[in-house]
Amino acid sequence: TVGHTLEEQAALRPEDGGPTDAGTLHEAVVEAGTYPHLAATLPALTSTDFTAHFEFGLRLLLDGLRAVRR
């Protein structure tokens, strides 16, 4: 929860390297031909849909706990 909040707050401050700068930097570093799997993750890595990020992470944790409990 704390990590998610820090990530969201950092993205809301574009002057400090927020989503626009991060997206451009990621795209410049990752070449689709050299790293196709990493390039495929760029939409998720540069997305600012933090509600979806949080729900995805929470779902992973809960599913993992359910799997261990069985």
Side-chain angles (χ1 to χ4, degrees):
T1 301
V2 173
H4 173 79
T5 302
L6 291 171
E7 183 179 349
E8 185 173 5
Q9 288 176 347
L12 296 175
R13 298 177 58 198
E15 70 276 2
D16 293 335
T20 302
D21 296 333
T24 303
L25 177 62
H26 283 86
E27 290 169 4
V29 172
V30 177
E31 296 177 23
T34 307
Y35 306 104
H37 299 291
L38 186 56
T41 67
L42 281 177
L45 291 174
T46 59
S47 169
T48 56
D49 185 354
F50 293 103
T51 300
H53 288 185
F54 185 81
E55 289 173 355
F56 175 74
L58 181 60
R59 193 170 34 255
L60 285 178
L61 287 171
L62 293 175
D63 290 347
L65 290 171
R66 278 189 207 104
V68 171
R69 189 173 180 199
R70 294 179 192 178

